[in-house]
Amino acid sequence: EQQQASGGGLVQTGGSPRLSCAASGFTLRNYPIGWFRQAPGKEREGISCISSSDSDGTSYIVESVKGRFSMSRDNAKNTVYLQMNSLKPEDTAVYYCAVGIPVGSMCPPMRYDYWGQGTLVTVSS
């Protein structure tokens, strides 16, 4: 059981990359999924969560990126996405997805397990 974030890279200010969180060994639609980021020299920050599809499937975005970031699911591809728009240099960070438990729950989950390998997003000014 593992999942991994991908889609990062070097992006210009104002760019709109989409990060993917894909899993093997379990079905992401059954779990709440969170996106986190950790900028250089800073603590990890939770930025979004999407409830399991078995609950209401609602997504939540932290205020600091609301209006620019959004989450979605493609259950057929067993993938969760983080769409990032209008990127700023301060969005530079390693972005992680994590699987929340218990299964079938809404956001915020009891805790996050199954932290995947992150993907680095570097926003150039």
Side-chain angles (χ1 to χ4, degrees), residues 1-108:
E1 295 176 332
Q2 64 178 11
Q3 81 287 348
Q4 182 166 325
S6 63
L10 180 62
V11 183
Q12 290 187 336
T13 295
S16 299
R18 186 179 70 170
L19 304 185
S20 300
C21 178
S24 61
F26 57 98
T27 303
L28 289 182
R29 65 165 289 152
N30 296 337
Y31 299 87
I33 306 297
W35 280 98
F36 297 79
R37 67 183 180 183
Q38 187 164 20
K42 295 187 177 181
E43 295 186 353
R44 187 174 62 201
E45 172 191 22
I47 55 175
S48 64
C49 178
I50 188 166
S51 298
S52 71
S53 296
D54 293 334
S55 61
D56 66 359
T58 305
S59 62
Y60 300 88
I61 306 292
V62 70
E63 196 64 33
S64 62
V65 299
K66 189 174 289 185
R68 297 192 297 124
F69 291 11
S70 61
M71 282 189 75
S72 63
R73 292 182 181 269
D74 186 334
N75 291 331
K77 294 183 179 180
N78 200 28
T79 301
V80 173
Y81 300 103
L82 179 69
Q83 178 66 50
M84 304 189 295
N85 298 323
S86 302
L87 282 185
K88 307 173 183 179
E90 52 263 42
D91 293 317
T92 293
V94 178
Y95 287 74
Y96 302 88
C97 60
V99 178
I101 61 170
V103 62
S105 62
M106 297 175 63
C107 294

